[in-house]
């Protein structure tokens, strides 16, 4: 099997290297670009040979001509339907639609809204490495970029920048969590499999399906109510950066709950959300990493059976499908 030199941007707890292992790839070197100390601690605890290179904004593409694959899940808060919904923009609300425009705004000293603009740093680094590889007669690297479901406008901006349309993949197809994500890649032949029928009860004994308590206001009401919603597909709700909470009066808030066979509603544990992301239970339980940080990085991370499935197509290592090109 051809050796892989892997670069993971916004690495988090190590979703990229875990996905590569899931896919059975032969990774001989792994560069990681991450600035969150807790995530770095978790990744290094499990993959001590990972080369931490720091902030992607400070890297020189010329130092990474050995790469064969780059991937990442760029920050989503400004793109998500549940987030700021401002897209790629400066703090003065100038929208960023192209890489050249981003470079111009950087040169002019503009500040940017949130962290989602870092997508352009991913593109700039990727294109820098790719173009230098081609100029030096090296077969160019492949890429994979993940983000949340978003409006068509911003999907199209990303698609134009990367030259391919996204693949929509719900983790429920291959695992017990409902988690819709978009994946842009030039790996050939990636397909979304049929539902494997994996339910919460297959991973968490006695679990029937996800339960949530989402805040709602009815007409004329001043305060939110938090009615219980229950899934009927046997899957968990999408994991986010908090599990939820239950107050002293017994009221619950959040989406990280599940129903048992006996009809009891329970809150997911950290070990259970690790399992629902395809991690080993206790994977993020590393010295110096708080439970709050663990939950946040799990919620922001990749569901390994999904990205592992996608990266398994790297074994073919061919060009992008013509039907998926822009």
């Amino acid at each position: 099997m051809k050796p892989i030199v892997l670069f993971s941007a916004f690495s988090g707890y190590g979703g990229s290297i875990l996905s590569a292992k899931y896919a059975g790839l032969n990774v001989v070197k792994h560069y990681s670009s991450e600035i969150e100390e807790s995530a770095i601690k978790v990744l290094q605890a499990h993959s001590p040979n990972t080369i931490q290179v720091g902030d992607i904004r400070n890297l020189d593409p010329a130092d990474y001509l050995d790469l064969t694959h780059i991937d990442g899940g760029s920050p989503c808060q400004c793109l998500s339907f549940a987030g700021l919904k401002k897209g790629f923009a400066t703090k003065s609300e100038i929208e960023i639609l192209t890489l050249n425009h981003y470079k111009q705004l950087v040169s002019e000293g503009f500040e940017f809204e949130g962290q989602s603009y870092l997508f352009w740093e991913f593109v700039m680094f990727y294109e820098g490495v790719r173009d230098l590889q081609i100029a030096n007669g090296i077969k160019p690297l492949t890429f994979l970029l993940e983000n949340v479901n978003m409006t068509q406008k911003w999907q199209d901006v990303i698609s134009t920048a990367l030259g391919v349309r996204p693949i929509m993949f719900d983790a429920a197809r291959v695992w017990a969590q409902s988690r819709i994500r978009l994946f842009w890649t030039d790996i050939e032949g990636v397909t979304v499999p049929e539902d494997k029928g994996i339910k919460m009860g297959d991973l968490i004994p006695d679990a029937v399906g996800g339960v949530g308590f989402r805040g709602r206001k009815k007409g004329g009401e001043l305060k939110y109510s938090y009615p219980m919603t229950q899934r009927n597909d046997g899957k968990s709700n999408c994991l986010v950066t908090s599990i939820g909470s239950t107050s002293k009066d017994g009221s619950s808030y959040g989406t990280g709950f599940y129903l048992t066979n006996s009809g009891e509603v329970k809150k997911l544990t950290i070990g259970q959300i690790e399992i629902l992301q395809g991690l080993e239970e206790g994977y993020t339980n590393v010295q110096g990493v708080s439970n709050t940080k663990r939950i946040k990085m799990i919620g922001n991370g990749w569901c390994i059976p999904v990205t592992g499935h996608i990266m398994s197509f790297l074994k073919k290592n061919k060009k992008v499908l013509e039907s998926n090109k822009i």
Side-chain angles (χ1 to χ4, degrees), residues 149-163:
N149 196 12
M150 63 188 75
T151 64
Q152 193 63 50
K153 172 182 177 177
W154 294 111
Q155 281 190 46
D156 290 344
V157 169
I158 295 174
S159 297
T160 299
L162 293 175

Side-chain angles (χ1 to χ4, degrees), residues 111-221:
E111 294 184 351
F112 300 94
E113 186 70 49
Q115 297 294 311
S116 292
Y117 76 91
L118 290 173
F119 161 76
W120 296 111
E121 293 288 341
F122 176 92
V123 176
M124 187 157 50
F125 179 76
Y126 158 67
E127 289 189 353
V129 175
R130 180 201 63 192
D131 292 348
L132 285 170
Q133 287 179 330
I134 292 172
N136 285 276
I138 302 170
K139 183 178 179 181
L141 73 171
T142 54
F143 75 84
L144 170 66
L145 189 282
E146 176 263 1
N147 214 300
V148 296
N149 196 12
M150 63 188 75
T151 64
Q152 193 63 50
K153 172 182 177 177
W154 294 111
Q155 281 190 46
D156 290 344
V157 169
I158 295 174
S159 297
T160 299
L162 293 175
V164 294
R165 298 181 183 88
I167 298 165
M168 182 177 285
F169 198 144
D170 187 347
R173 291 292 192 105
V174 295
W175 210 234
Q177 179 193 170
S178 176
R179 187 180 189 85
I180 296 173
R181 292 294 184 267
L182 299 176
F183 296 90
W184 288 262
T185 185
D186 65 349
I187 304 170
E188 185 189 41
V190 176
T191 56
V192 178
E194 294 298 320
D195 192 333
K196 294 186 177 181
I198 300 173
K199 308 292 187 183
M200 281 193 77
D202 298 322
L203 305 179
I204 300 172
D206 205 34
V208 174
V211 166
F213 299 87
R214 297 173 174 85
R216 297 176 181 174
K217 275 186 181 180
K218 295 182 179 179
E221 291 184 353

Side-chain angles (χ1 to χ4, degrees), residues 14-52:
S16 177
I17 189 65
L18 288 171
S19 300
K21 291 177 180 178
Y22 183 100
L25 300 178
N26 178 26
V27 177
V28 295
K29 186 186 288 187
H30 176 212
Y31 298 102
S32 167
S33 175
E34 176 58 68
I35 62 173
E36 171 56 53
E37 289 299 323
S38 294
I40 293 171
K41 286 179 181 179
V42 171
L43 175 53
Q44 293 302 124
H46 295 280
S47 300
N49 294 326
T50 296
I51 303 168
Q52 293 287 343

Side-chain angles (χ1 to χ4, degrees), residues 257-312:
F257 298 82
Y258 68 97
L259 187 70
T260 69
N261 283 306
S262 62
E264 183 181 1
V265 174
K266 290 186 176 181
K267 181 180 173 181
L268 289 164
T269 66
I270 298 178
Q272 288 170 337
I273 65 173
E274 287 171 327
I275 292 169
L276 289 168
Q277 282 287 53
L279 305 173
E280 292 183 0
E281 186 173 3
Y283 175 86
T284 62
N285 189 13
V286 171
Q287 185 175 1
V289 179
S290 69
N291 285 346
T292 300
K293 293 287 188 181
R294 290 175 66 191
I295 294 167
K296 183 177 180 180
M297 75 175 76
I298 295 166
N300 280 330
W302 284 357
C303 183
I304 304 306
V306 171
T307 43
H309 169 81
I310 293 172
M311 289 179 71
S312 70

Side-chain angles (χ1 to χ4, degrees), residues 61-76:
D63 295 333
Y64 300 92
L65 298 190
D66 59 340
L67 296 184
T68 61
H69 179 75
I70 179 173
D71 57 38
S74 55
C76 67

